[in-house]
Structures are given as structure tokens and as C-alpha cells.
Amino acid sequence: MRLDVFVSMRLAPEYSRSQVARMIKAGLVTVNGAGARASSGVRTGDRVDVAAIPAGALSDPSLYKEGDAPEISVIFDDDEIIVVNKPAGMTVHPAPGHPNGTLVDALLARFPELAAMAEPDGVLRPGIVHRLDKDTSGVMVVARTPFSRTALSRQFKDRTVKKTYLAIVKGKVARDRLTIERPVGRHPIERKRMSVRSNAPRDAVSHVTVLARFDPADADEKGTSLVRVKPDTGRMHQIRVHLASIGHPCLGDPLYGGKAGGGGFFHRQALHALALSLTHPRTGERLEFVAPLPMDFVEFLAQKLFTADARELRRWIELS
């Protein structure tokens, strides 16, 4: 039997096969006292040792400077999961150009035990099972244990997690409801963009419902629409690309034609992850979490004399 298969069978469901493969690559797994490859064979009588990941590996204060761990709004937390309301402008995890001030920094500062969730190769993404774009606000779930990380990752892969987004887009969307089924992949020329005209697209489906249409502020504009989007898939920039592909990009999204500034209200794409529905990894209970509207949404809708209280948010979520 392959070493990675053997170890992942013994460690499941706490660790996935891909995580085990990284552990092997990092030298944390030995066979008969010697390092081995994931593809190495193991036989009856072999001794396989798995070294523990140091519990404090990521809690070293040198990883981020004082002041680089921002405050984060926690919607819910228990022994298995943490649900947060990520603000616009916050990157989920460290990346080139964004080494500090990330959601991961905020989580480690508030929940230092997450350090034990370090990837075996030292990647600083403890408990992260899905992402939101830097300038997209809203609800995110984070795994607090290896068991929950594996269980939640499976739910996202099987598409049993239900996501509800709100977007404010350019123009008045003509149809009340539409489903956009256009594969999304990396733009063939501009590598920072995604596109429905990619050379290597992956299937992507978004269900759009118009919640309100607003008249233009002056004769030079074409109005705006508030829409709810329920994606079946989770491709990078999917909702932004899909809305732009029908001629209605998010306000404040210059990358996809939404014009910087968003009419003075949005200095980021007007996209908010409103609700997330999932099955609790341990209890099996179906749970739903809602992130309140961010201030730029509130101010825009107030200027349009449009009510967006908690009761209205609930109605938007439950619309069939």
C-alpha cells in the first residue's frame, strides 16, 4: 500500500490525504526510522512514525508585528467552528503583498489555539476552508479542529453549504430571476482577472434574483439594482465575473467594469456575503449564520429610501 494512503486511513477523518502528503513531504513521517515519499510502499512489519506538529508553531509573536492583528467580529463560536463577519479590505490569509493584518492574524490573536491547526508545511492558513475576496465583506466559517476542517471541506466540495450574497450592480437588471451558467477561469491575457472566456474554464452556476431597482441620480446614469445571488459553485471571483458578463458589474469594481468610487458610496466591489447555511461537523445540526449589512450598503440603501432591517434581510434570504 502507498504510504500516503496508509497514513491517511489511520488518521482519518482528522487529516485528509492531501494534508498527509504534505506531512510526508515536510519530513514528519518516517518508515523504519527513515524518510520516505508519499508514493513509497509499506509492507507488513514496517514501522511508520508520525511526528506531531508543534502546537505553538504559528503563535510565535515574530510572525506578525504588534498592531497587525486586527479586531474581528465573531458571529458564533464553539469547540468546533468559528463564524466571523469579515470586513471589506481584509485579506483572508498572508499572501505576497499582504503579509500582515489578515483574517488569520485576527483569528490567531483571539483564538491562539488555532496555531495547532498549522499546515504541516508551515502554511499560515489554520482552519481556513473557504475564502472571500479581500474587498468582499460578510460571513465566513473557520474550522477550529482538524476533524471540523476535514468535515467542512467535504461539505464545500459536495456543495451542501448554501451561500447567499447581496450585490448592488450597475443598471436595471431586466429579468426578475435568471440563472447564469457560464464556466469561469483565468483570463487568457490579464492574469489578475477571471473570465467566462478562459482557455481553461471550470463550471460555474449563479442564481440571481432582483430585489429592487433604483432610478439614476442624473440623466447620465442608467440606474442600479440590488440583487441576491446564490452560487452553486465557488470559483474565484465567480459572482463578480458572472454579473459583469450580463452587463451588470458590481458598483465599485473597476476590475470588471464597475467603475471605481461606486457613485461615492462604494470604494470596493459592492458585494456582501449575507448568509451561510451548513451542517455542524459534530452534531449534524443544520445551522444558518447571517452577517449584518456593512455601512456602505446601509448608507446607499438609505439614500434610496429603501428599508433593509433584519426582517427584510430574512425575507431576502428565504425568497424561493
Side-chain angles (χ1 to χ4, degrees):
M1 184 182 294
R2 284 174 56 108
L3 177 62
D4 57 348
V5 175
F6 175 81
V7 176
S8 61
M9 286 175 62
R10 296 306 186 275
L11 297 184
E14 302 295 333
Y15 293 92
S16 67
R17 183 172 171 181
S18 62
Q19 291 166 338
V20 167
R22 289 195 290 272
M23 293 170 69
I24 296 171
K25 186 176 181 179
L28 298 176
V29 180
T30 59
V31 179
N32 300 324
R37 296 182 178 182
S39 59
S40 297
V42 289
R43 297 169 178 79
T44 301
D46 285 344
R47 177 184 175 86
V48 178
D49 291 295
V50 180
I53 304 169
L58 296 184
S59 56
D60 184 341
S62 67
L63 287 173
Y64 49 83
K65 302 173 184 178
E66 186 175 355
D68 283 337
E71 291 292 325
I72 188 69
S73 173
V74 175
I75 297 172
F76 172 87
D77 71 281
D78 65 8
D79 291 341
E80 294 293 338
I81 63 174
I82 303 165
V83 181
V84 302
N85 181 11
K86 186 190 86 66
M90 178 182 284
T91 304
V92 171
H93 55 71
H98 303 283
N100 307 114
T102 68
L103 175 64
V104 164
D105 292 318
L107 289 168
L108 286 173
R110 182 156 177 176
F111 304 98
E113 72 277 5
L114 283 176
M117 293 277 286
E119 295 287 351
D121 53 6
V123 175
L124 197 62
R125 299 177 187 175
I128 301 300
V129 292
H130 71 126
R131 293 181 294 179
L132 293 177
D133 296 338
K134 176 188 174 185
D135 287 326
T136 297
S137 57
V139 64
M140 277 187 64
V141 63
V142 178
R144 204 165 181 173
T145 66
F147 174 83
S148 290
R149 177 171 54 192
T150 300
L152 289 172
S153 295
R154 173 59 63 181
Q155 289 186 49
F156 278 100
K157 183 177 181 180
D158 292 344
R159 302 179 183 176
T160 60
V161 176
K162 302 304 178 184
K163 297 165 281 187
T164 302
Y165 289 78
L166 293 179
I168 299 173
V169 302
K170 287 178 60 176
K172 292 186 176 182
V173 181
R175 295 169 55 187
D176 290 342
R177 299 173 185 271
L178 65 152
T179 295
I180 306 172
E181 297 185 64
R182 297 180 178 179
V184 172
R186 189 72 61 181
H187 192 283
I189 299 174
E190 302 175 50
R191 306 306 294 170
K192 290 186 177 181
R193 297 180 59 191
M194 306 299 283
S195 173
V196 294
R197 296 181 176 85
S198 173
N199 294 325
R202 300 176 67 187
D203 68 299
V205 180
S206 302
H207 304 282
V208 181
T209 302
V210 177
L211 301 173
R213 298 178 180 90
F214 304 112
D215 292 329
D218 58 59
D220 294 330
E221 297 181 4
K222 296 182 179 180
T224 52
S225 300
L226 171 67
V227 300
R228 182 194 71 182
V229 184
K230 290 197 171 187
D232 286 348
T233 49
R235 308 304 176 206
M236 180 182 289
H237 298 183
Q238 174 180 318
I239 294 174
R240 297 162 64 191
V241 171
H242 271 174
L243 292 172
S245 76
I246 61 170
H248 298 284
C250 295
L251 294 187
D253 189 1
L255 188 63
Y256 294 108
K259 190 179 180 181
F265 289 95
F266 296 99
H267 301 285
R268 51 96 176 200
Q269 63 260 14
L271 183 62
H272 178 66
L274 176 64
L276 194 67
S277 175
L278 53 86
T279 300
H280 192 280
R282 289 285 184 188
T283 68
E285 181 183 2
R286 193 70 185 177
L287 302 173
E288 183 179 72
F289 304 100
V290 178
L293 289 184
M295 191 53 62
D296 48 8
F297 270 73
V298 171
E299 291 176 350
F300 176 90
L301 295 174
Q303 186 259 351
K304 300 295 184 181
L305 303 178
F306 190 76
T307 302
D309 56 18
R311 186 174 181 178
E312 188 70 356
L313 295 185
R314 171 50 51 191
R315 187 180 73 83
W316 293 345
I317 294 168
E318 294 178 350
L319 275 174
S320 58

